[in-house]
Every structure is written in C-alpha cells, then in structure tokens.
Amino acid sequence: MIEVFARRVAALALVALAALIPITAFTHLTAWDAKLRGGATPSTTLAELVLGGGAIWLIIAIGLGWHWRRSTMWPTWARWAAFPGLFLSVFTCFFIAGEQNEPIALVMAAGLVVACWLVSEAVRLVLTRPVTTGLISSKLEIPFPTRDLKARLCVRADRLVLDSLASRRKRSRDVLAVPWTSLTSIELVEVEADTVWRVNVFSNWVVAKSREFVVTPGPALHVIGTSRELMIPVTAKVGQTVLTAVHARSANAESAEDPFAKRSWYSVAGVSPERRPKDAFRTDGRPYVLAIVGAFLLTPLLMLTGMTVAVRTGSEKLQKQFFAVGGVVDPVWVTTLGIASVVFLYLLQRFVIKPFLNHMKVQEYIEAHPSPPPRPAEADAAPRSGKKRKKR
C-alpha cells in the first residue's frame, strides 16, 4: 500500500535524522573546542564516528525490523539512534562550558536534547496520525490515548492491547490483550460512576495476579473475550475510531470458543501447578541480562570487524585501537579472533537468541490468554456452554 510505504520511508528518514543531528553537532563542537584551544585539529572525524557506531546502528536496524509493525516502538528506536552522538555532544558541551568558559554551550546541549526528542515524536506522528482508512486497512499498530490511565490502547493486526498500567516507561510490553480469535463483542458505553475494574494477568503460577484500575465516569469501551472482560475509559471520538479499526481488522477472524481445549495455560507457559517457580516470565518482564551476555559474546566479532575497518580505511587511530598498527595484522591473532567469533556466535544463538525468542513466544501466549483454565476435576463438573455468536 502506497500510504503505508510512504509513512515507513518518512519514519526511517526521521530515524536517520535523529542519529545524524547529534553526530554532526559533535564534529562542529570538537572543531569549536579545537579553535578555542588555539586551532588544533579535531581528533575525531565524522567518518570515524559513523564507523565506530556501526554496531549500534546494526542493533537499531535489527530492532526496527523486529518491530516493523509496532509503530509505538519506532520513536524509542529513534531515541536510541540519537543516544551515542547525543551523549558525546552533551558531554563536549559541558566540557566547553566548564573549561573554555562558554555558557552558550549549555544552551546548545539543551537544544540538541530537545531537537532529538522532537524528531522521535515526529516519527510517532508520521506512522500513526492521522488515522486514515489506509492506515486502518494496513497491519501497522495504531495507538490511542485513554482517559485517566497511564496505559495506551493499541489496535494491532491481530489483537487489542492495553500496555503498562503502572508506568509510561514500561509500555514496550503488553499487559492486557484480547486477540481477534477470542473477541466476542466490543461496544462504546457510558460509565455513570467511578468503577474499580479488576483483571487477572500472568503471575508465573496457576494463580493469576490481579491488577486494578479505576474507570472514571464517561465514555468507555466494553470489551468481552473468551478469557477476560475489559472496560477501557476513552473519549467518545477515540472510542468511535477504535470501533472502526477493530471491526475492520477483526472482520475475517474466526472465533475460538475455548482457546485452552487442547493444551492448558500453565503447560504452554512452562509453569508447574505443584510449586511456584521464579518470576522468569512476568508480564512486564524484560530479559535485560540477555543483552549483557550478548554484548560479551559479540566482542570477538566486533574486534575482528574493527580490525578489518581499520586496515581498509587506513585510519591510524582505529589501527591503534584494534592492534593493526601500520596496516599490519598478526595472522595468529586474526585466526584466534575468527575461531572465537564462530564459537561465540554459536553460544549467542544457544544462550541468548533462542531463550529470548522463547521468552517472547511465551509472553505473546500468556498475554493473550492470562487466565488459566479450570483444573480437570472442575472442568468435568462445570456445565459446557454452547457455541457463542460473535458480535461486532
């Protein structure tokens, strides 16, 4: 679709701009600092900065690919793209303000921070606003604000999602979700009085964790699924737009009467009903430790890449950093790095990438259906209901 393609191209250009603004500013700041010191040549060039940030740009590219349809994550990746150059630029501004007695540098630092933040917000607006028919018919995530809640209401290609109820900083993971296969009805209603709404979320045990939030008087979306019921406070305008998007995206979905008919919730989530294990897969969990391990395992490959870049570019600074002085490398050292890179890449796949993908797979399942099914004895005693008709 042309509209979605144009939105993505514009957003990618803005992400690149967010990365380029602070890097370019840093080169000018170092030149300014050199001039104040007596005209010395700046020690860092733009090319060296771009080459040095190659690993960071690669991670950001992978992240954008991973969240290709998650438009709410693109502004976050734009900020990460800006972070390396912004860190160096702001540090240089503080250094110039202190050592060279130039307070205007502090104003420049604040301006750079604001500029990068505004570019990241522009990424969000380009991808999600205005909400057009073309956007609704695409598979891009569409976020909507809620009334008096910290969470956003997101309409995705396959589900309706509320993100973090606790903090705006934890919006990268879902908290409450109703996929189209379990959606039975959604309607805009009017709440007359303050209502405390309670829902169950995954607790890494057969007993779910309870979350509560207050629904204030006013319009609200009443969502009913096979596993949960939600009351989401919104404005009337947002509610009507959400209804349009949900009806369009869920039109061809087939309802599932019992999503737990073949496999129980805790067997899929890897939870033992006899004992409560560690909170390894909380609904708002983030496997940060995997990032640290992954960074360590990528070290040999980074050294080998840096050595290659140093030799190819002829940069004396890079050659010193990566043990290739004069463009001459030690064959034994290169062989060692090559073997270590292969071994460490295997370990990366085995102990980082595979656990992370399993983590994400479990998260998607448990967030869609966090309430465990009845135990076998209770299931036999409970009456079975007939097939429900799906209302739109």
Side-chain angles (χ1 to χ4, degrees), residues 152-171:
R152 290 172 301 196
L153 178 62
C154 302
V155 181
R156 296 195 186 150
D158 62 341
R159 66 186 61 197
L160 187 68
V161 171
L162 266 182
D163 54 21
S164 176
L165 293 169
S167 171
R168 288 182 174 87
R169 295 180 292 103
K170 293 184 177 182
R171 285 177 165 177

Side-chain angles (χ1 to χ4, degrees), residues 39 132 217 335:
T132 61
T335 303

Side-chain angles (χ1 to χ4, degrees), residues 233-267:
V234 294
T235 63
K237 182 178 179 180
V238 167
Q240 291 295 340
T241 308
V242 171
L243 286 177
T244 302
V246 170
H247 291 160
R249 294 190 172 187
S250 64
N252 298 322
E254 296 182 1
S255 299
E257 170 68 16
D258 183 5
F260 307 106
K262 295 182 179 179
R263 292 189 297 173
S264 69
W265 168 84
Y266 41 81
S267 67

Side-chain angles (χ1 to χ4, degrees), residues 71-366:
S71 57
T72 54
M73 288 300 298
W74 281 52
T76 302
W77 286 113
R79 290 164 197 148
W80 276 113
F83 177 77
L86 190 61
F87 175 80
L88 293 173
S89 298
V90 171
F91 179 81
T92 304
C93 285
F94 277 96
F95 181 82
I96 293 175
E99 295 294 325
Q100 306 297 337
N101 194 24
E102 293 286 350
I104 189 66
L106 298 178
V107 179
M108 296 173 66
L112 282 172
V113 173
V114 172
C116 293
W117 182 268
L118 290 177
V119 171
S120 68
E121 286 299 297
V123 172
R124 178 182 63 82
L125 292 175
V126 162
L127 284 174
T128 63
R129 295 297 182 269
V131 181
T132 61
T133 304
L135 181 60
I136 290 175
S137 62
S138 72
K139 294 184 178 181
L140 271 177
E141 177 185 33
I142 310 175
F144 296 94
T146 56
R147 288 191 303 106
D148 305 321
L149 292 182
K150 296 179 180 179
R152 290 172 301 196
L153 178 62
C154 302
V155 181
R156 296 195 186 150
D158 62 341
R159 66 186 61 197
L160 187 68
V161 171
L162 266 182
D163 54 21
S164 176
L165 293 169
S167 171
R168 288 182 174 87
R169 295 180 292 103
K170 293 184 177 182
R171 285 177 165 177
S172 61
R173 296 300 304 149
D174 309 340
V175 171
L176 310 173
V178 178
W180 307 145
T181 54
S182 66
L183 179 67
T184 58
S185 69
I186 178 171
E187 58 182 342
L188 187 63
V189 299
E190 191 73 21
V191 177
E192 301 295 337
D194 285 348
T195 304
V196 178
W197 202 264
R198 178 180 298 172
V199 292
N200 294 325
V201 297
F202 182 60
S203 65
N204 209 39
W205 198 30
V206 292
V207 178
K209 180 180 179 181
S210 178
R211 290 281 186 91
E212 293 182 352
F213 58 91
V214 178
V215 181
T216 56
L221 286 169
H222 186 206
V223 184
I224 300 178
T226 57
S227 299
R228 62 153 47 95
E229 183 178 2
L230 294 176
M231 188 73 74
I232 307 168
V234 294
T235 63
K237 182 178 179 180
V238 167
Q240 291 295 340
T241 308
V242 171
L243 286 177
T244 302
V246 170
H247 291 160
R249 294 190 172 187
S250 64
N252 298 322
E254 296 182 1
S255 299
E257 170 68 16
D258 183 5
F260 307 106
K262 295 182 179 179
R263 292 189 297 173
S264 69
W265 168 84
Y266 41 81
S267 67
V268 173
V271 175
S272 171
E274 286 77 25
R275 60 186 181 87
R276 181 169 186 155
K278 296 179 180 178
D279 291 335
F281 295 109
R282 300 187 310 276
T283 301
D284 59 350
R286 289 166 175 75
Y288 287 138
V289 66
L290 295 181
I292 299 174
V293 177
F296 171 74
L297 294 175
L298 285 173
T299 303
L301 184 61
L302 178 63
M303 290 293 295
L304 191 61
T305 303
M307 186 180 295
T308 303
V309 172
V311 173
R312 297 286 295 178
T313 59
S315 170
E316 294 182 1
K317 185 176 180 180
L318 291 176
Q319 288 176 1
K320 277 186 178 181
Q321 291 177 345
F322 293 101
F323 308 103
V325 179
V328 179
V329 296
D330 184 354
V332 177
W333 179 235
V334 173
T335 303
T336 303
L337 284 176
I339 296 174
S341 297
V342 173
V343 174
F344 277 33
L345 283 175
Y346 167 76
L347 296 176
L348 180 73
Q349 191 278 334
R350 176 67 177 81
F351 295 105
V352 176
I353 297 176
K354 186 177 179 180
F356 176 75
L357 293 177
N358 289 337
H359 173 89
M360 297 299 291
K361 181 179 179 181
V362 172
Q363 287 282 359
E364 289 299 322
Y365 182 84
I366 61 177

